Amino acid sequence: MATMEEDFPRGGTQKKPPGQKAPRRPLEQDNLFDTHHEEGSQKRKRIQEDQGTWKKLKAEKKEAVKASAKDFELLTVEALSEGMLLLGCVKESNDFELVVSLPNGLTGFVQVTHICDAYSKMLNEQVTKEELLEDLNSLSDLYPPGMLVRCTVTSVEKTVDGHQSVKLSINPKDVNKAVNNTAVRAGMLLSGLVSSVEDHGYLIDIGISGTKAFLPRLKSQSDIKSASKGTELKIGQYLNCLIEEVKNNGRIVRLSISQSEIAAAIATEEQNWTLSNLLPGLVVKAQVQKVTPHGITLSFLSSFTGIVDFMHLDPKKAGNYSPSQAVKACILSVHPTSKVVRLTLRQVFLQPGGMLGQLSSSRIGMVVEESVVRSFHAKAGAIFQLDDGTLAFARLKHLSDTKNSFKPGAFKKGSKHRCRIIDYSLMDELALLSLKHRIIAAPFLRYQDVRPGHVVEGKVLALKPIGMQVKVTDHIRGLVPRLHLADVLLKQPEKKYSVGDNVKCRVLVSNPEGKKLILTLKKTLVTSKCPVLTSYEAARPGLITHGFIVCAREFGCIVKFYNDIKGLVPKSELSSEPIPSPEKVFCKGQVVKVIVLKCEPEQEKLLLSFKLMNRPASEDGGEQIPKKSREVTYETGQMVDVKVLKKKDNGLEVSILPDNVSAHLPTMHLSDHVANCKLLWHWLQEGDILPRVMCLSDKGGHITLCRKPAVIAAVQEEQVARNFSEIQPGMQLTGYVRNIMPYGVFVEFPFGLTGLVPKAAMSDKFVTDTKEHFVVGQTVVAKVTSMDEEKQRILLCLKLSECGSENSVTESFSLLCQCFEETKEVRGLMSKRNHSKVAQNLCGLKSGQKLELLVQEVKGDGSASFNGSCVAGLTVTATRYHRLVTGQKASALVLHVDALKSAVHVSLRDELLNPKVKRLTENSQHPAVVQHVAEEFAVASLVETGQLTAIPVASHFNDTFRFDSEKLKVGQTVSVTLQTVQTGDHSVLLGVQGPAKRRAFIRPRKESETVEETLAAVKHSLCLGDVITGTVKSVRPTHVTVAIDGKLTGSIHSSQILDDVPIGTFPTSRLKAGQKVTAVVIGGRDVKTHRYIASKPGWRGRRYLAQINEFSSFVSVLKGEGSQALNLEGDNPSERLRPYKAGQTVTCFVKKYNTVKNWLEVEVTPEVRGRVPQVLLSLNPKVSPRRRVRCTKVRHKRGCEHPATNVCQAASNFLPPCSLTGVYSLVKGTITIGTIMKMIPHVGLTISLPFGKMGKASIFHLSDSYTEQPLENFSIGKFVRSEIILNTERIFLLPLVCSRTNPKSKPKVEDVEIARAEDVQEGQLVRGYVRSVKPSGVFFGPLGRGVVCSSRVPSSPGFPKLWHSVPVSCSLPLATRRSVNKKESLVELSLLPEDTGKPSVLPESLGLPRCESDEGKEKREKFKKLKAKRRRGDSEGEQVCVREGGLSPWLRWVVVLVGEGGGPWYRQQLYPLSTEELNIKQVASSVAPFKQETKRVEAPRLQVSSGFTWGESLNVLEVPGLNREEESSDSEEEDASKKQTKKEKEQEKQRVEKELSKIEATLMDPSRQPQTADDFDRLVLSNPSSSILWLQYMTFHLQATEIEKARAVAERALKTISFREEQEKLNVWVALLNLENMYGTEETLMKVFERAVQYNEPLKVFQQLADIYASSEKYKQADNLYNTMLKRFRQEKSVWLKYATFLLKQGQIEATHKLLERALRGLPDKEHVDVIAKFAQLEFHFGDPEHAKAIFESTLSSYPKRTDIWSIYIDMMIKHGSQKEIRDIFERVIHLSLAAKRMKFFFKRYLDYEKKYGTAETIQAVKVAALEYVESKSSLAES
């Protein structure tokens, strides 16, 4: 080892051999002796030898001293080389690089791509995606200044200006590349960067190949928090890592970042450090070897030598070091080639992981007058002590201006010098100085020293397209934008400036962080003596300064100053003369002098003016001397009268009366209508008086007025926001368009608030050009969508769907009325212009006036112009729809008079000149033809009468844009709803367009879009019951806002103001803004959720971050008498709503009317709300639905008090429905309002009742008088008043007759209701409707409940057609009292003319036979008497049966069996009833005589020996005897009634027995198919578990549309089938699901589905329902169900496959591909191959075969020995592929290395395929291949 050390010394000086003496001291002694002997007398030869030795030693000594000084030279850029390891400190963190301080005052740069591989990967990903990644943190977040980092030099490059730049890398792969995994030892301190974040820790990149380093989260939790400031570690974060454990020969390393362990870490010999892998930042124990003035030499790690320069000695121990002294040192750098190791003894580096301190930024650049020299180093520089005691260093080149002027003697210890601090070296803990005079005198050293407004001199470096680059100092560069190269824009700047020119600039913007400097060369700005405006705070009103224009638009100019300060010069302040187009007068970049009018620093708003003439400046030129302010001030909203002084282009200059204060009234503020604004401005003249004008603003001595009615109304009704704090999202405010930009519209409101409407929120239609939708000054209604409180910005929305009125008819009509009122005002102005003939003529013309004109000209398009004495000076035109000849006299009708253009539009149509007279009613709809279209309205003529009607073009202020297809055109037919029926002063009728148009523009507002006004919230300590005193801040219809102490805001609900509220009053009207009120705290409301916060004992406001306090001003509560507010229940809604019971009357306050849900929303208390359905608002049905909505809004104003009745007990989380009519339940006798839902001819009405109930009204109960068209006066949707007369579980029977529903009105009753048969008198004339017609007679509908009438008439082929729904008049026949069966409520009527006294209802041309004569009647009476004696018990009475037959699924037959009491012709009547009459109770009511329950038909029974009961068979099969009896005539009945002989009775008995035998044989026939329900009943009894029989039974009922019976059969089947027969039960469940899907609702289907899932295997039920959805084309429901299945059965392979099949059948191929990826993530690995194969098969069948082939190929490449996949692939290709592709697959598979049995299978398949599709050659080729395979296997076996 000693020999090695001698031959290859390890750095520094050579190590002395042990025991050898030091050479220096003996040499010195020898020299002395030589000198002594030389003085004496010696021999000449000896003297010469000694002299040669002395010279040699002297030369060696000089070389040793030089070598020692050279070893301790400071690091320079030239000494750095690539690969050199350095310890550095982060100095600055920029976006793309780190500035690192290196030892000895050097500086390096780390590019963002040299951090680590993981960080670079994220950077590349962000660039690729072109979007910011959340996990990617900036360098400034990861690397704070002062952090120590290990780095390596990657390159040393020379910059453009000649300086050298050091490029560094902190990537562990570069820093630790010399360390391999075998050299890793526990205790080593390495640098690492976080590469990924895992669940239990972090993966750390330590740069060692083959080694994974892991940092556990659990053990390092506290250290992670300290390292990341309480958050997770971030990717790319630098860490000092201590190796705790090494596993698997260095492949796995566990790390620790404990600060205490790292600070105590010391590199030792056991860690096997070598010079090749020695790292900077390691702390070692060392021994001083040598001490010199330039530094010391250390030995460490037993065999290494290093040096410490004078800058890195411990300042506290400098000069106290001695050889062999033990010290701790930290490695600073390691040279890659010379292996020179530099160390530091400064204490801050001896504890790794610490942060280095910085010098105050204010000290850098400071000039120190007297700095004392501490030491001087001839080759390096000098150490100084500054005035504050800190040390500083100056390199040699900074000690003098030039090398020649440098004098080393001037820097003796203790000498004083004037210097300047130019920088600070973090690694050396020294300030860097310069003694150069030019640096000391330089005004700027850094970017921080340059302030906006400074004048600097520089040199032109380059001319670029964006501007000119200027060199201010060696380290400061600036840019002069192209706009600022001169006072005017230079097209060719290179002709004025060239590189190297000296220029004088002024700083516009200074950005030290980004090292950017923006300069200007505009001479006016550079030489300006005006104050420099660099902040909004410095912009005092009256300040005059220079700026430059950056934007000139129609609204004014935007002027920019220094430091990006901007202000607005309004159009009115541009000049004393009006400038219509500022963009044409001013240009971008123009330097202007402005005066500050107003500044709001918080909002960064600056108002400027160019008008400097009347504003004298102060002596300093800064602020103007303000003029004496006027005594009168005006507040926003104050109404004044004004007098016009002067007309200007942009408005009127007016004088406010009576103070004669000048003000400005803009043109666009004259009216809400844009066209009327121009019209009023045109006809107003100087001296005109305008009453009731509102003051809009009084700022800066300028008063702006407004005459817009909508804006004035908003201010007067307090529907405005006075400041930003009152703005809340959802508010609707009335304002006007302030400015229009390409990106949106700015809307200004009273009191100066302004908001932006983005382009996307301007209209429901697509906005191409913003100027096409609105104009500046137009009135709009805006909805607040969001706010930015910091920047005081508001975002708005102008969409009609958001801002539209709930009643567009009322809104559009009010706009039309306002427009005509303003037109009337213009006429008044024109009438005063006596000197103007044109004005007088215009004033004398009105729409609808007839004129006699002369055709002046007929144009080419067919239009014509006229003249005449009454239209002198006017332009009179008619459209092209007239045929005229020049010179023709014609009568014309005035359509419209355009007073602005002095034009008259006329029409010559006859229907207009001669209108018809017809009585019109309000709100009636009529077709009309558009005759003329003006800007604000259109003139149309009613088709029926020809009267002129004006209709509005717009339905809302925001309704301004229409596509060409939507615009009204002349000749177009529209539907008009008349609002007025008298022309009045407008000379035309007023109306609105029909509902179709409104639906095209306005989307119904959702319930969730109701606006809840929220208030500002602050933390407080109020508690329940506290009595407070506050000031009313604002008054709303439903609540009052109260301010407390100027900070806290609360709300008093309408219900909490008065103890007793009069009906129909507004409680909030009792309070006024500014009024003092005393209230008690009753609760709060969360601002974010608007949820009411319950009032509980101990409740404190500070529990909620943001809330609105609820107060009560009840007198009883304040006195402590009441408990209404103080004893509130908890926050549970059911507890709050418990006190309200059904039928209880409560006091409620109107909130709003919901036009979508058609209910009135009311509030009972702040936390309890209710809803009043439309049918419970009033009992007056004589209002159409549209009119009812409008009347509801008018009658029930917001905040108004109304009594209401709670109709049902409120459930939790739901509001209790209320009633204003007193109706809270539907019981017999209740009178209520309903809505007609359905009209059934000849049957009646289906009516929707309150509470979700339905009712039916028969045509017999629609009116007190029968008419020919009973349904004529009814329509769907109409409101009707009805009375409940029969209440069943599902249905209500409702009479609508006025005598019942409104008896107080005493209506005229023509046809009295007949309730009982006793009420009918003989001879009484009654009227009714024909219900059914039979050969035996006519049945009439019930004239009252439970009464049926009939009339016997002769038969005729045309008889049935004559009677259906024919109103007839009929009377009871005289002396026929027996036909009135009171017990059965049966009435027999007569239609004979001799009985009724009326003409016959049937024409005589039919030739119908007359009824029987009196003789026939007598015979019939005798016959009845005879038969009554022989009446049998079993044949007495009457029986009714509803027999469900099979003629038609929509037709039912009712068989009526009447006993002899009803007459012989009445015995058996068969008549049809419609489906609506099938209900048993309806039938019982309609067929009044039969009050028994419905039974089956019973035929005469025979007593047979077998004892078999035939009771059910007669309802199924036809009985011949019964059929003959039904078809018998009266004469046959009389014959049959005679006494039978014994023989005849026997024959009859035999005949009946034969018939019964036939029936029995038929039923016993096994081949007979079931035809009736009884047949199916017998079948399911014989085989109850057969699902096929039950399904056939269900099908039988479904064919007859008996849905309920089919459901019942299914339920029977589920109960009957054995529980063991799971599949049979499942079949029935599937059938029931199918039934509900086809005939039921989604709700009933879901109920059945939920039951099926409970009783069956869920997966099968889900799959069956999915198939049902798909087969019925309910694809959306099927898709949703499949997604549910994927979540519930994600491990089931079949679910994924069925969903894939569904998607492919729908053509969603891409979705199928994504589904496959999801399936592979969700299914176990063992299922993957099969799933992939199945998906590929599905792709072949339904999708893309090419993609399917790709899937198979990919699968087989991974699993080549899966013969099942090969087989499937071959099968698919045989069906879908070409022969070449199939043969290629076979060739591939037969060359696989598989088992012989499998190979035989594939060879056989290949041969079969060739036999079927190939040729003899291909067959032979397969055989040869098989033979070769066998031979190869045989030879392999033999070997």
Side-chain angles (χ1 to χ4, degrees), residues 289-359:
Q289 279 192 340
K290 183 178 179 181
V291 182
T292 69
H294 305 291
I296 62 176
T297 305
L298 301 176
S299 64
F300 61 96
L301 294 179
S302 72
S303 59
F304 301 152
T305 303
I307 61 173
V308 181
D309 58 54
F310 65 90
M311 294 180 69
H312 281 275
L313 298 174
D314 189 352
K316 298 179 181 179
K317 299 181 181 179
N320 296 328
Y321 293 104
S322 60
S324 301
Q325 179 182 350
V327 294
K328 285 178 66 176
C330 177
I331 299 175
L332 282 182
S333 66
V334 180
H335 199 279
T337 55
S338 65
K339 304 299 180 182
V340 175
V341 180
R342 291 178 176 267
L343 301 99
T344 180
L345 299 178
R346 290 182 176 271
Q347 291 297 320
V348 70
F349 295 100
L350 301 183
Q351 292 183 349
M355 300 283 288
L356 301 185
Q358 288 185 316
L359 185 67

Side-chain angles (χ1 to χ4, degrees), residues 1779 1783 1809-1821:
Q1779 291 190 1
R1783 289 191 175 96
Y1809 175 78
E1810 292 298 346
K1811 288 180 179 179
K1812 188 174 182 179
Y1813 300 103
T1815 60
E1817 292 79 5
T1818 57
I1819 295 173
Q1820 184 62 31

Side-chain angles (χ1 to χ4, degrees), residues 53 115 121 397 402 527 660 784 888 1254 1602 1645 1670:
T53 304
I115 302 298
K121 183 179 179 181
K397 64 179 181 179
T402 60
T527 61
N660 293 326
V784 180
Q888 174 184 349
M1254 300 296 293
E1602 295 288 353
L1645 176 61

Side-chain angles (χ1 to χ4, degrees), residues 167-401:
K167 303 296 182 183
L168 306 173
S169 172
I170 61 173
N171 194 328
K173 288 187 176 180
D174 299 327
V175 176
N176 301 330
K177 65 179 179 180
V179 182
N180 53 41
N181 54 3
T182 59
V184 176
R185 299 287 186 273
M188 279 188 171
L189 183 64
L190 301 178
S191 62
L193 283 90
V194 180
S195 61
S196 68
V197 180
E198 306 297 335
D199 292 339
H200 302 287
Y202 305 88
L203 289 180
I204 308 298
D205 182 7
I206 58 175
I208 302 177
S209 178
T211 299
K212 288 186 178 180
F214 183 73
L215 175 63
R217 186 192 301 270
L218 187 60
K219 292 185 178 181
S220 307
Q221 194 67 35
S222 59
D223 300 306
I224 290 173
K225 289 183 178 180
S226 61
S228 58
K229 297 181 180 180
T231 59
E232 293 281 347
L233 297 180
K234 307 173 184 66
I235 295 178
Q237 185 169 345
Y238 183 91
L239 299 173
N240 289 304
C241 307
L242 188 68
I243 299 178
E244 280 192 338
E245 184 180 5
V246 181
K247 296 181 180 179
N248 297 339
N249 295 327
R251 294 186 181 91
I252 299 176
V253 173
R254 180 162 55 86
L255 305 177
S256 171
I257 59 171
S258 172
Q259 295 296 326
S260 58
E261 295 178 1
I262 292 175
I266 295 178
T268 61
E269 292 86 350
E270 289 80 7
Q271 295 172 3
N272 196 22
W273 292 104
T274 64
L275 279 177
S276 60
N277 63 10
L278 203 62
L279 298 174
L282 294 177
V283 178
V284 296
K285 292 182 179 180
Q287 189 176 14
V288 179
Q289 279 192 340
K290 183 178 179 181
V291 182
T292 69
H294 305 291
I296 62 176
T297 305
L298 301 176
S299 64
F300 61 96
L301 294 179
S302 72
S303 59
F304 301 152
T305 303
I307 61 173
V308 181
D309 58 54
F310 65 90
M311 294 180 69
H312 281 275
L313 298 174
D314 189 352
K316 298 179 181 179
K317 299 181 181 179
N320 296 328
Y321 293 104
S322 60
S324 301
Q325 179 182 350
V327 294
K328 285 178 66 176
C330 177
I331 299 175
L332 282 182
S333 66
V334 180
H335 199 279
T337 55
S338 65
K339 304 299 180 182
V340 175
V341 180
R342 291 178 176 267
L343 301 99
T344 180
L345 299 178
R346 290 182 176 271
Q347 291 297 320
V348 70
F349 295 100
L350 301 183
Q351 292 183 349
M355 300 283 288
L356 301 185
Q358 288 185 316
L359 185 67
S360 174
S361 59
S362 61
R363 297 277 294 171
I364 299 176
M366 179 184 295
V367 176
V368 182
E369 297 297 334
E370 291 184 354
S371 59
V372 182
V373 177
R374 288 282 302 271
S375 64
F376 175 73
H377 304 273
K379 296 295 184 180
I383 299 290
F384 293 84
Q385 184 175 357
L386 302 181
D387 51 2
D388 60 350
T390 59
L391 298 180
F393 175 71
R395 286 185 178 271
L396 282 177
K397 64 179 181 179
H398 281 283
L399 292 178
S400 62
D401 290 329

Side-chain angles (χ1 to χ4, degrees), residues 1678-1693:
D1679 191 85
N1680 295 336
L1681 186 63
Y1682 274 119
N1683 283 305
T1684 305
M1685 294 168 64
L1686 292 182
K1687 297 176 182 177
R1688 185 167 178 176
F1689 311 104
R1690 61 179 302 120
Q1691 298 295 325
E1692 293 291 339
K1693 179 171 60 176

Side-chain angles (χ1 to χ4, degrees), residues 947-965:
Q947 292 175 276
L948 295 184
T949 305
I951 55 177
V953 174
S955 61
H956 192 269
F957 285 125
N958 301 0
D959 183 13
T960 57
F961 178 79
R962 287 167 191 78
F963 297 111
D964 292 338
S965 60

Side-chain angles (χ1 to χ4, degrees), residues 1140-1143 1205-1211 1215-1218 1224 1251:
Y1140 301 95
K1141 305 298 182 182
T1205 302
N1206 188 17
V1207 301
C1208 66
Q1209 178 64 41
L1215 300 176
C1218 302
Y1224 62 94
F1251 323 128

Side-chain angles (χ1 to χ4, degrees), residues 185 200 271 291 348 555 621 856 1085 1474 1491 1700 1806 1819 1830:
R185 299 287 186 273
H200 302 287
Q271 295 172 3
V291 182
V348 70
F555 57 83
Q856 184 179 4
R1085 194 181 299 276
S1474 61
K1491 297 183 179 179
Y1806 194 6
I1819 295 173
V1830 173

